[in-house]
Amino acid sequence: MRVQLIKFGSLMGLLLFFSPVAGAQLIDNNQAPNTAKAGINKSLADEIGAGRGDIMTPNSSLFIINRDPFRAVRRGRQIFQRKFTREQGQGPANSDGNGNINVTAGIGAGLSDSCAGCHGRPRGSAGSGGDVATRPDSRDAPHLFGLGLKEMLADEMTSDMRAIRAQAIDDAKKRGRPVTRQLDTKGVSFGSITAHPDGSVDTSNVSGVNPDLRVRPFFAEGTTISIREFLVGAFRNEMGLMGADPDLLTASAGGRVVTPSGMVLDGSLDKIEAPPLTDNGSDPDGDGVNNELPTSLIDHEEFYLLHYFKPGLYEQTDTTEKGRKLFDKVGCSSCHVADMLIEHDRRVADLDTVYDPARGIFNRLFSTATPSLHEVNDNSGFPSIKVPNGGPFLVKNIFTDFKRHDLGPNFYERNYDGTLQKEFLTRPLWGVGSTSPYGHDGRSINLHEVILRHGGESQASRDAYAHLDSGSQAALQTFLNALILFPPDDTASTLDPGVPTTPNFPQAGHGSIKLTVLFNDPTDPE
């Protein structure tokens, strides 16, 4: 095989091939043609393509993900923004509001016609959004920026702790006495375990994670392992689109699969959420349609969310620097850990977005795209296979420890069965400057209020903040407000730097994060 490094700079000459600017929810141009040519270019049938297929099946999801990965990301984005119709299976929602909500909280979810209906702010992004009523006191839809980085970090932390457990058991058997080991990974302590010579393990001193040592990074209470489970469940509960996904079906039955995005789901080690199925595996919601969400769409959506941009960093000043130091001083960083290292990055590119008033010609933000892949010519006559480099990647400014904490009764949440949820994952603070109101339930109107709302394990840090003078409190808030989200269609980048002299600027020519230029065929837009 011949291996070639991709020449990113040579792709800049393709910038003439612009695709229409996208908003949050998008219509299908084939269903609703319009003069502005705004919307999704490919029909749903075209997006489904040849199904999952394989790397030798043109227009299948596995072919595109492996040979044209930036198109796969873009296609996943269009699926995310697509306004699904009733004919395509949208609605009714989970059991159409009927059933035992004490057991199936998703029955209380609202009905939407697109992912962007709940995750659409800032404009056109997989950002925060509406109120998702899956609990009696509701939940805010969180932003999805950096979702793939969260999945990879949590998965590696799990592997680290389980390796520590395995070594402790082995040592205990060899020594013939109990062995205690600290569960430290990526700068975070999850307590300790004690292994015994008979192979049993005492997990009573484990903290912030289940005794199985699986870090579950999704949902406020930390219940879901993977992007794939997350998105299949959301399609079902919020949109009524049923996806009988073969990967989740295999893993939930105890098997081991590697998804097209490289996530290992092993049902022998973890409980994997099963896809929506009836006893005979057909017609999951009783509307006469079997499997409304073909596997290829799930593949593209998972790949898109794996690669979704991490949040940006707004203007850094003496005030934000002071606020950052105060953040550490009052103890916020004991749970909100700033940076973590991924050992094996499964993505094919990264995007870094910072304040840049010179190049940020519309919103004073500028994004730099950096591919991280190499090409392998498999002599098939098809485009080369694009392989992620798989190297380490330092995730900066995430500000979480992936642990569950008890923050006191001000954060407790009622469940439909009458119980209280008392522990919640440390929410990553990246993007926090763009996501008011605050708290998993959206009950705190600003940063000052949500900080003062903290108690329980964070009482000391909350009190230290409360005793700061007003100027210091404002500086800490300014630091947090500089952790921002951004609209990808309106942020100039190395892929499309924009031209302010373009007629009708800024509606046109303001620059964007235009993945089209990285397609194998940039003249064929999604």
Side-chain angles (χ1 to χ4, degrees):
M1 291 186 179
R2 180 173 56 89
V3 179
Q4 296 178 320
L5 291 178
I6 188 168
K7 292 181 171 58
F8 175 65
S10 66
L11 295 169
M12 297 304 295
L14 298 173
L15 284 170
L16 293 176
F17 298 105
F18 289 165
S19 59
V21 171
Q25 294 175 292
L26 293 181
I27 52 90
D28 185 329
N29 288 334
N30 301 279
Q31 297 169 194
N34 58 93
T35 304
K37 297 182 180 180
I40 300 170
N41 292 296
K42 294 191 181 297
S43 68
L44 184 60
D46 286 336
E47 289 181 329
I48 294 169
R52 167 170 273 191
D54 55 35
I55 62 171
M56 304 299 287
T57 308
N59 204 29
S60 68
S61 58
L62 292 184
F63 183 95
I64 296 172
I65 287 170
N66 285 280
R67 297 185 187 275
D68 201 357
F70 297 102
R71 180 179 294 280
V73 174
R74 179 68 179 180
R75 182 164 296 185
R77 171 176 162 82
Q78 302 299 69
I79 295 165
F80 187 92
Q81 294 179 296
R82 171 177 287 278
K83 291 170 67 71
F84 282 85
T85 67
R86 294 299 179 92
E87 183 180 0
Q88 293 163 347
Q90 182 269 345
N94 194 343
S95 302
D96 201 19
N98 298 295
N100 186 353
I101 199 168
N102 293 324
V103 176
T104 308
I107 291 172
L111 181 63
S112 178
D113 61 359
S114 77
C115 302
C118 293
H119 304 278
R121 292 288 181 270
R123 186 185 85 95
S125 72
S128 58
D131 194 38
V132 182
T134 55
R135 297 296 187 278
D137 297 316
S138 80
R139 287 225 178 136
D140 258 13
H143 74 75
L144 305 182
F145 281 69
L147 203 70
L149 296 172
K150 291 170 62 178
E151 181 184 69
M152 287 186 283
L153 284 168
D155 194 43
E156 290 188 358
M157 295 172 95
T158 299
S159 296
D160 289 348
M161 289 193 288
R162 288 179 171 176
I164 293 170
R165 181 181 62 189
Q167 186 61 55
I169 293 172
D170 187 54
D171 289 347
K173 289 179 178 179
K174 290 178 180 178
R175 299 178 185 182
R177 59 179 174 81
V179 171
T180 298
R181 292 285 183 267
Q182 297 298 312
L183 295 171
D184 297 338
T185 170
K186 300 189 186 297
V188 178
S189 174
F190 286 86
S192 64
I193 56 169
T194 297
H196 297 281
D198 64 358
S200 64
V201 179
D202 180 357
T203 60
S204 59
N205 290 318
V206 171
S207 65
V209 67
N210 287 1
D212 65 358
L213 306 184
R214 165 57 73 175
V215 179
R216 295 170 169 82
F218 303 125
F219 292 99
E221 73 280 14
T223 55
T224 299
I225 294 172
S226 67
I227 290 173
R228 201 166 185 95
E229 293 168 279
F230 164 80
L231 69 90
V232 170
F235 270 116
R236 178 191 186 185
N237 292 335
E238 276 77 39
M239 299 173 66
L241 289 166
M242 304 300 175
D245 179 56
D247 288 354
L248 296 185
L249 187 61
T250 297
S252 65
R256 183 183 186 276
V257 297
V258 181
T259 76
S261 293
M263 180 64 181
V264 177
L265 300 176
D266 191 337
S268 69
L269 300 175
D270 299 298
K271 181 179 179 180
I272 305 298
E273 187 173 348
L277 292 171
T278 55
D279 290 339
N280 62 5
S282 64
D283 195 13
D285 60 353
D287 66 355
V289 179
N290 179 26
N291 202 22
E292 298 157 331
L293 199 63
T295 305
S296 58
L297 296 187
I298 299 173
D299 289 346
H300 288 300
E301 188 80 340
E302 180 191 25
F303 198 70
Y304 161 65
L305 292 175
L306 171 70
H307 288 85
Y308 200 72
F309 322 120
K310 62 182 185 290
L313 197 62
Y314 197 60
E315 183 178 12
Q316 299 298 290
T317 66
D318 291 342
T319 303
T320 58
E321 183 179 356
K322 176 183 177 182
R324 177 69 175 85
K325 291 178 180 177
L326 288 167
F327 181 85
D328 291 336
K329 182 178 180 180
V330 301
C332 299
S333 57
S334 62
C335 293
H336 294 283
V337 179
D339 306 332
M340 292 186 182
L341 180 69
I342 290 175
E343 300 291 346
H344 178 77
D345 189 356
R346 291 188 269 115
R347 302 171 304 156
V348 297
D350 181 62
L351 191 83
D352 197 47
T353 303
V354 298
Y355 176 79
D356 188 336
R359 294 187 295 174
I361 57 177
F362 178 63
N363 57 9
R364 298 194 294 175
L365 295 172
F366 190 83
S367 296
T368 300
T370 306
S372 178
L373 56 84
H374 55 276
E375 298 188 10
V376 176
N377 181 1
D378 63 346
N379 298 311
S380 64
F382 293 125
S384 60
I385 297 173
K386 314 301 191 299
V387 181
N389 288 337
F393 181 81
L394 182 62
V395 181
K396 296 181 179 180
N397 300 317
I398 187 172
F399 294 106
T400 183
D401 60 3
F402 289 98
K403 290 178 65 175
R404 291 196 302 264
H405 295 277
D406 184 336
L407 301 184
N410 284 339
F411 278 95
Y412 290 175
E413 174 185 86
R414 294 183 301 154
N415 295 314
Y416 281 109
D417 64 5
T419 61
L420 288 179
Q421 178 68 40
K422 296 184 177 181
E423 290 188 341
F424 295 92
L425 280 175
T426 301
R427 178 160 289 191
L429 293 183
W430 56 4
V432 71
S434 307
T435 56
S436 64
Y438 298 103
H440 63 275
D441 47 17
R443 298 169 80 177
S444 296
I445 195 63
N446 56 40
L447 287 169
H448 181 67
E449 294 298 330
V450 78
I451 295 172
L452 293 178
R453 185 178 166 188
H454 282 60
E457 296 177 42
S458 60
Q459 187 69 50
S461 297
R462 179 263 179 211
D463 291 346
Y465 168 83
H467 285 96
L468 294 175
D469 60 73
S470 59
S472 295
Q473 289 181 349
L476 196 154
Q477 292 173 40
T478 299
F479 153 67
L480 293 175
N481 276 315
L483 305 174
I484 50 111
L485 307 182
F486 54 89
D489 300 312
D490 306 311
T491 300
S493 74
T494 49
L495 301 176
D496 177 12
V499 181
T501 57
T502 301
N504 296 320
F505 178 87
Q507 281 68 41
H510 57 256
S512 68
I513 301 166
K514 198 174 297 295
L515 295 179
T516 312
V517 301
L518 301 176
F519 293 1
N520 287 343
D521 180 6
T523 64
D524 178 23
E526 288 289 320

